[in-house]
Amino acid sequence: MQTSWRPPDSGTVGITLEAHVAQQMAMSPGASGHFTSLLYQLCLAAKLVDSRVRQAGLAGVLGYTGDVNVQGERVQKLDELANETFITVVKRGGKVCAVASEELEEVAYVPGAGRYVLTIDPLDGSSNIDCNVSIGTIFGIYRRLSDSAGPADLGDVLQPGSALRAAGYVVYGPSTMLVYSAGAKFGVHGFTLDPTIGEFFLSHRDMRIPDHASTYSVNEGNWVRWEQSTRDWIDWLKQEGEGPKRPFGARYVGSLVADAHRTLLKGGVFAYPADQKAKEGKLRLLYEANPFAFIFEAAGGRASDGRRRILDIPPEKLHQRTPLVLGSADCVADFERFAAKK
Ligand code: P6P
């Protein structure tokens, strides 16, 4: 699907994230500049976290703080730094009334008339930090529902993914990229950080997930805990055959942002299904599954829990988990076909 908005050719000077967002918002009647300002703030926080991630090995911020977060996982120092960085920046920016973070047990409410709600996984893939594997930040932006004259409340946060106004992620890898979408109408666009000047420049215009690809990304170490329908799906992917071309090749980093980013670029499917241990799945609906579901749908892909569209799942709890199948539309449909047989 051709998106209605196309950035102008950049000529000799690259298009910065700020310029790109400003141009997109100029296409939005009634845009007040609050959304643009919030994206600028997230861009600043991403640069600050990138700097700390790059220095982690030298700055003694590797290793564990000894604390345990609400997920019961030992908190890496970088997790804390990333969480504090994003929350401090958006609090100062005055455009947000509430932040739901993987690192916070409860919502961080921000007094004032902020029009937006931020859901964020400040540094996903933290178990990979010490191994120098790509990690990332995942964020979603909602419009507040409550009257801005009063305090925000949980209802502002527990919105379905279909209500997202924008979503994005930052992948701190061999290069640092920020990918975001303000919805299918605007497309999905990727910006690569030029560390020599600290600017994100448009590098991946109008990203579309390939419709047909033969790569699957799943932790097969969970085999013994999987439902039979999941095992049957994996076995099918590994057999010779057509429609799509099989056998599929396997790629798995164990860092959602890295695995999802590769799937968005190359096509195929990422899955973290439910299993006997993680009966609701492992990944979080609000700040992991929903942002990626929003982005993948805007890029022509799909995101499901195996039965339902991720963006339609009504959140009931802040840290609610969900199974996640993310990727090219035909690959997600194949998973659902096997799940329907059980
Ligand atoms: P497993 C990382 O800890 C994470 O939350 C996601 O980034 C990643 O997709 C998943 O867990 C990996 O989980 O059980 O395969 O190590």
Side-chain angles (χ1 to χ4, degrees):
M1 177 190 77
Q2 178 62 42
T3 57
S4 55
W5 183 86
R6 301 268 311 154
D9 288 335
S10 58
T12 54
V13 177
I15 297 177
T16 64
L17 176 59
E18 284 81 352
H20 182 270
V21 171
Q23 288 163 353
Q24 282 201 334
M25 290 305 109
M27 301 270 294
S28 306
S32 64
H34 288 236
F35 177 81
T36 303
S37 171
L38 175 53
L39 276 173
Y40 292 176
Q41 293 159 30
L42 294 173
C43 179
L44 168 63
K47 293 176 193 174
L48 291 168
V49 171
D50 174 72
S51 168
R52 290 179 168 88
V53 166
R54 303 283 162 213
Q55 298 165 24
L58 301 172
V61 292
L62 286 179
Y64 297 103
T65 62
D67 298 334
V68 175
N69 68 13
V70 62
Q71 325 302 337
E73 297 161 345
R74 288 189 297 174
V75 178
Q76 294 263 17
K77 291 176 183 175
L78 270 180
D79 280 348
E80 284 186 345
L81 283 171
N83 191 54
E84 285 165 19
T85 301
F86 276 96
I87 290 180
T88 300
V89 168
V90 299
K91 274 187 171 178
R92 288 176 186 162
K95 306 301 181 221
V96 162
C97 63
V99 181
S101 167
E102 180 183 40
E103 294 300 327
L104 298 177
E105 196 147 0
E106 305 298 336
V107 174
Y109 291 105
V110 184
R115 300 182 184 181
Y116 294 100
V117 171
L118 177 68
T119 60
I120 188 165
D121 185 350
L123 204 59
D124 178 78
S126 51
S127 56
N128 291 298
I129 292 173
D130 289 343
C131 319
N132 207 16
V133 167
S134 296
I135 51 182
T137 298
I138 312 164
F139 64 88
I141 298 172
Y142 292 91
R143 192 67 193 258
R144 82 182 290 175
L145 302 176
S146 58
D147 184 336
S148 57
D153 58 38
L154 195 55
D156 287 308
V157 178
L158 297 182
Q159 298 186 53
S162 54
L164 277 164
R165 293 301 180 94
Y169 62 89
V170 185
V171 50
Y172 309 100
S175 64
T176 292
M177 269 191 72
L178 188 150
V179 175
Y180 97 101
S181 177
K185 173 187 167 190
F186 290 103
V188 179
H189 305 280
F191 300 80
T192 299
L193 182 65
D194 176 342
T196 63
I197 59 170
E199 274 295 354
F200 280 102
F201 287 100
L202 183 63
S203 55
H204 296 66
R205 175 180 296 174
D206 206 10
M207 297 169 78
R208 306 289 295 169
I209 187 169
D211 287 331
H212 305 294
S214 300
T215 302
Y216 75 103
S217 183
V218 66
N219 182 347
E220 296 204 51
N222 295 329
W223 177 274
V224 291
R225 299 197 293 256
W226 280 341
E227 299 172 4
Q228 190 56 45
S229 62
T230 303
R231 295 177 180 179
D232 293 345
W233 169 67
I234 290 284
D235 286 343
W236 179 77
L237 289 179
K238 293 178 176 179
Q239 292 159 3
E240 294 282 351
E242 292 303 323
K245 187 176 91 50
R246 290 173 290 132
F248 273 37
R251 293 285 184 280
Y252 192 74
V253 177
S255 180
L256 174 60
V257 174
D259 285 318
H261 182 63
R262 182 200 57 251
T263 304
L264 180 62
L265 287 172
K266 304 290 187 184
V269 60
F270 167 87
Y272 208 106
D275 59 42
Q276 291 165 10
K277 178 185 168 192
K279 295 188 185 312
E280 300 301 318
K282 173 179 184 181
L283 301 175
R284 308 296 175 166
L285 175 63
L286 234 56
Y287 39 76
E288 291 176 328
N290 271 338
F292 274 116
F294 182 87
I295 291 164
F296 271 66
E297 287 199 5
R302 286 192 57 211
S304 158
D305 68 354
R307 294 181 297 107
R308 296 172 296 175
R309 179 177 178 239
I310 289 289
L311 296 182
D312 291 340
I313 297 176
E316 288 148 15
K317 292 181 294 181
L318 204 51
H319 302 290
Q320 179 171 328
R321 298 177 190 267
T322 178
L324 176 63
V325 188
L326 188 66
S328 304
D330 59 349
C331 293
V332 175
D334 288 332
F335 183 98
E336 291 175 332
R337 183 159 45 81
F338 280 86
K341 290 176 185 173
K342 64 184 175 186

